[in-house]
Amino acid sequence: MSTAVPPGARRPSAESPSTRSPGSARTAPATAPAPAPAGVPAAPAPAVAFLSDVVHRSTSDTARDTASDVTSDIARGTAPALRSGVHPETRPAAGPPGRAAFRPDIEGLRGVAVLAVLAFHAAVPGLTGGYVGVDVFFVISGFLITGLLLARPTGLRDFAARRARRILPAAAVVLVATALAGGALLDPLRGTDLARDLIASAGQFANWRFVGQQTDYLAAERDPSPLQHFWSLGVENQFYLLWGVLLLGLARLLSGRRRTAAVAVTVTAIGGVSLALCIRWTAGSAPLGYFSTAARLWEFAVGAGAALLRVALAARTARPGPAAGLARWVLRLLGWAGAAAVLLAVFRYDRNTPFPGSAALLPVLGAGAVLLAAPLHRTAGAGDIGRLLAVRPLRAAGRLSYAWYLWHWPVLTIAQARWGTLPWTTLVALTAASALPAWLTLRLVEQPLRRGSSPAPRRGLAVGASALIIPLIAGLTLGGGTVRALGDAGPPVVVPAGAVDGPALLAPGTRLLTLTPSLARAREDFPPGRGCEIPLGADSSPRCLFGPGTGAGTEAGPDRIVLIGDSHAGQWISGALALAGQRNWALEVLVKPGCPLATLTVRNNVLGRTFDECDRWRETTLTRLATGPRPRLVLMAGLNRYGSQEERAEGWTRTLDRLAAVGAPLAYLADTPMPGKDIPTCLAASDGRSDACFFPRESAFERDPLIDGGLAARYGVRVLDLAPLLCPGTGPDCPAVLEGVVLYRDSGHITDTLARVLAPRLDRGLLGTG
């Protein structure tokens, strides 16, 4: 399971259990796209009844079910009993040889984890680190599956069949239900995104889709996907594949203690490499660190290590005497310390915590300690953490955890996409209500398949294949329906002629009969040269030249315009190209998304830390301008929302001192209005009615130090402010569409079509011609 988006990312987008999806998570993922202990409001009576019913299954039934299989993240809270062929002293104290020992403490730990994630997604105050519940699930998975494969080595085909039969059918039910709900309740653009996410989720590679989405700044302003939480299921199943091949391969080659030693070395090596990657990627690319399998394997490896350590400790704690008593006492303390570590992360971490990275060590090692500390040869006593974890409410939540986790996030995201941001009390109520379909899924899908399906591998693989194919069909059907609803994207956009000046956007006599660009194209109406807008982790811009004399191997010459800033500068590439083309000049693009040209240090929410790469990029870029050929014009632009007004003024002063020393004319494009909502999605939801997507003037603008603070006049900067054109009049709202032109491709960037329409105004306003 997981959070939908990495802590620290723009949206809770559910992070991932909106989502830091960051770095991405970031990014992270986000992540992707963001499960309580004490303090979580009680569920309504019907939900409690369903949970109670789950708990009242007999212990004998549970033992029988788990003897046949252990399902890691969706396991019913059991631990495998290692056969005497591995270590005789680890056989369960009671029950038939070879049976799985029921572990109510694991079921309870799963309950803590899922409640933490659910509370985080419902924005329950105080539980700001609930997303660590996903990490606890990963540790439990590594513990259970490693123990199972050591105890009962089987064929890879049989192992895959069991995993598919246990995991995929419930996921397929949720995917199909989400497709139906999304098709009925979401606008066509969100439905198109959902269809793609559904295909990725059904194919078990959703985590990699969200890595790509949240690493791409162009997708950063979109609302979280109703299926973003499926990233963790993708990670889980990819882990199963790798672990099954490794451990079953070792079982064929080795036996007894040699096999156990080889597994220990393998687990340590994989865990060490994965942890190093996790820490590195969390610092440099949060979505990759959050959503990728390689960065999460160490968490499974901690669980696997706990399973191996239990085998090693079994003989020591079984013998009578003071040494065994001391060992049991130490394990008891270890269990309480581990539980405290998990809860500390739940209550103290938040979206600003760089995660997973080294911060994940606290909940991961804590969960491993709880799993390791359970008594090996006796029932948990009053002083054991297992006694507390085995209380009925936690076991109930743990038993329902997989289905509840799958259902709650689509309910929350679709409700908020339909009715807007909801208070946390309403989110808690919706989360509790999602226990009903979760309980039905458990009773009607999970339990019948676990108890009644044929053990033959071909039957399990057939069930798994059906559970993959049916959601894929649902995704393709949904995608086809949204394409029909949006209409054909049609030929490339024909850009209408723009006015040179005056209050009208379009040239006299120019009229548009349909929205331009079309809603099917608006979200993808990007400027050329997307490679010029460098990734978050980069600290220098590549050679990015357009126009005459810019072939391979050529360097920037003096006859060029330099466009410099963040992504709000990058949105003007087409307009600047037209400006340069009129004079047979080249255009050089120096753009870094999320990085202010004003000299001030900022925090990047996707990375979840101070944006050091931005400071380095700015220094490198300003030095590059000062030492290279002097351009014809330096054109500055950018988002006018970094830091406080005072910080922006001081930062611009320092930057303008450097740029003035270059000796080139300076020009500045004032920031465009900020809608604060996804305009194409809004238009799609309102059937193209432009008057339905107005946004408040009050929040659309910030005080600009160059214009309002007088810095432009002090440094001789020529300013073009298009705000009066894009938000005309003095009313309380700004439009999203003007004269048939869709102004914004997301919640903050203008469409490339608008940039082209405005090119004549840039020419006259910045260079005095047109």
Side-chain angles (χ1 to χ4, degrees):
M1 300 179 205
S2 109
T3 55
V5 199
R10 179 187 63 87
R11 307 187 60 82
S13 294
E15 218 138 28
S16 349
S18 62
T19 16
R20 279 153 127 354
S21 194
S24 299
R26 60 255 57 227
T27 154
T31 133
V40 179
V48 173
F50 298 139
L51 296 181
S52 299
D53 180 81
V54 173
V55 168
H56 282 89
R57 282 180 52 197
S58 68
T59 303
S60 61
D61 285 345
T62 305
R64 181 178 63 250
D65 296 339
T66 56
S68 64
D69 193 44
V70 181
T71 59
S72 84
D73 187 12
I74 61 169
R76 302 277 66 84
T78 60
L82 303 183
R83 287 181 178 174
S84 57
V86 179
H87 281 287
E89 65 271 17
T90 62
R91 183 173 296 176
R99 286 283 185 176
F102 178 60
R103 286 283 302 271
D105 62 312
I106 293 183
E107 197 169 64
L109 181 61
R110 192 182 306 282
V112 171
V114 74
L115 289 174
V117 173
L118 298 182
F120 172 74
H121 284 166
V124 175
L127 299 176
T128 53
Y131 51 82
V132 303
V134 175
D135 305 83
V136 174
F137 281 118
F138 288 163
V139 176
I140 295 173
S141 295
F143 179 84
L144 294 174
I145 288 299
T146 301
L148 174 70
L149 292 175
L150 288 176
R152 288 190 290 128
T154 183
L156 183 60
R157 186 164 175 259
D158 181 64
F159 175 74
R162 290 179 180 276
R163 299 277 69 71
R165 192 178 65 209
R166 298 304 193 265
I167 296 173
L168 298 181
V173 170
V174 175
L175 290 174
V176 172
T178 303
L180 294 173
L185 299 175
L186 297 179
D187 62 82
L189 275 179
R190 279 198 181 100
T192 300
D193 292 339
L194 177 60
R196 297 188 181 110
D197 294 341
L198 198 151
I199 292 171
S201 298
Q204 308 304 310
F205 59 89
N207 58 318
W208 295 108
R209 171 167 168 76
F210 296 128
V211 166
Q213 277 191 327
Q214 295 197 17
T215 301
D216 182 1
Y217 86 98
L218 296 171
E221 299 297 326
R222 298 185 184 178
D223 291 322
S225 166
L227 298 176
Q228 194 154 349
H229 63 320
F230 267 76
W231 76 266
S232 60
L233 197 62
V235 170
E236 187 100 7
N237 285 327
Q238 290 156 32
F239 158 74
Y240 289 149
L241 178 62
L242 172 64
W243 229 239
V245 170
L246 284 177
L247 268 64
L248 293 176
L250 289 173
R252 283 182 174 273
L253 297 174
L254 303 170
S255 62
R257 295 184 182 275
R258 287 192 303 166
R259 181 183 63 185
T260 303
V263 170
V265 171
T266 301
V267 167
T268 302
I270 291 176
V273 172
S274 174
L275 177 58
L277 290 175
C278 179
I279 294 173
R280 180 177 180 180
W281 288 342
T282 299
S285 177
L288 189 62
Y290 198 88
F291 291 118
S292 70
T293 307
R296 293 290 189 161
L297 281 175
W298 71 274
E299 301 182 5
F300 297 95
V302 167
L308 294 170
L309 280 174
R310 279 181 64 83
V311 174
L313 290 172
R316 297 180 183 274
T317 58
R319 297 169 186 152
L326 177 62
R328 289 193 292 268
W329 182 80
V330 170
L331 286 176
R332 180 175 293 169
L333 287 181
L334 185 66
W336 284 103
V342 172
L343 293 180
L344 182 63
V346 169
F347 286 100
R348 296 299 298 274
Y349 286 3
D350 57 25
R351 296 186 186 280
N352 293 322
T353 303
F355 200 86
S358 59
L361 285 166
L362 183 65
V364 168
L365 295 180
V370 172
L371 294 172
L372 180 62
L376 288 155
H377 301 283
R378 58 183 175 81
T379 304
D384 293 311
I385 185 62
R387 175 63 66 88
L388 178 61
L389 290 173
V391 297
R392 280 191 170 185
L394 290 181
R395 287 179 53 196
R399 187 112 11 116
L400 193 62
S401 60
Y402 179 53
W404 204 358
Y405 177 81
L406 291 179
W407 278 103
H408 87 285
W409 184 243
V411 170
L412 296 182
T413 51
I414 291 177
Q416 294 194 94
R418 185 70 176 179
W419 294 292
T421 303
L422 301 172
W424 73 269
T425 50
T426 302
L427 297 179
V428 167
L430 289 172
T431 300
S434 66
L436 173 57
W439 178 78
L440 292 173
T441 302
L442 175 69
R443 294 298 297 270
L444 302 179
V445 179
E446 290 188 67
Q447 289 178 349
L449 285 174
R450 188 169 64 250
R451 294 173 178 174
S453 294
S454 167
R458 65 177 181 277
R459 297 289 180 87
L461 292 173
V463 170
S466 300
L468 291 176
I469 293 171
I470 293 173
L472 286 174
I473 294 173
L476 293 172
T477 303
L478 175 63
T482 57
V483 168
R484 288 192 296 272
L486 285 171
D488 187 0
V493 176
V494 177
V495 179
V500 174
D501 55 19
L505 177 64
L506 301 180
T510 303
R511 298 188 64 183
L512 295 177
L513 301 180
T514 60
L515 289 180
T516 303
S518 67
L519 295 183
R521 284 186 176 272
R523 272 213 184 147
E524 311 302 322
D525 196 25
F526 300 124
R530 290 181 62 178
C532 298
E533 303 194 18
I534 60 177
L536 294 178
D539 53 18
S540 63
S541 289
R543 176 190 174 281
C544 203
L545 291 170
F546 299 87
T550 59
T554 60
E555 296 297 329
D559 292 333
R560 76 190 194 282
I561 293 174
V562 174
L563 176 63
I564 182 172
D566 61 8
S567 64
H568 278 231
Q571 67 186 359
W572 292 107
I573 288 177
S574 291
L577 267 173
L579 196 69
Q582 290 288 333
R583 291 153 184 81
N584 203 33
W585 294 346
L587 174 67
E588 182 178 13
V589 177
L590 300 172
V591 167
K592 183 171 179 62
C595 181
L597 182 57
T599 305
L600 69 159
T601 298
V602 296
R603 176 185 174 83
N604 185 275
N605 286 335
V606 174
L607 295 176
R609 57 170 173 80
T610 301
F611 200 2
D612 299 322
E613 294 87 347
C614 172
D615 293 337
R616 294 196 294 269
W617 171 85
R618 186 190 305 111
E619 178 61 31
T620 301
T621 301
L622 293 176
T623 301
R624 181 170 166 178
L625 280 175
T627 57
R630 185 171 61 190
R632 296 283 188 172
L633 178 72
V634 175
L635 179 56
M636 303 172 289
L639 178 69
N640 184 36
R641 291 173 184 262
Y642 300 102
S644 65
Q645 293 182 10
E646 294 76 12
E647 289 171 333
R648 288 197 294 270
E650 293 174 4
W652 270 115
T653 300
R654 289 191 288 269
T655 294
L656 289 172
D657 284 339
R658 301 277 301 274
L659 288 174
V662 173
L666 303 178
Y668 176 67
L669 278 170
D671 197 14
T672 49
M674 284 287 289
K677 60 182 176 182
D678 189 327
I679 293 301
T681 294
C682 177
L683 293 172
S686 60
D687 296 325
R689 285 178 47 246
S690 58
D691 59 340
C693 298
F694 279 42
F695 53 94
R697 180 188 296 269
E698 181 181 16
S699 60
F701 299 99
E702 285 279 334
R703 188 175 184 274
D704 194 316
L706 271 79
I707 300 173
D708 304 317
L711 289 179
R714 184 194 309 176
Y715 287 91
V717 179
R718 188 159 190 174
V719 173
L720 178 60
D721 184 5
L722 296 169
L725 175 68
L726 300 182
C727 188
T730 58
D733 296 318
C734 298
V737 176
L738 272 179
E739 301 176 41
V741 177
V742 178
L743 303 184
Y744 306 97
R745 68 170 187 257
D746 51 31
S747 63
H749 299 89
I750 64 171
T751 60
D752 190 54
T753 298
L754 176 61
R756 293 171 185 267
V757 168
L758 292 172
R761 290 180 185 270
L762 268 61
D763 200 301
R764 170 164 293 189
L766 297 176
L767 294 175
T769 60

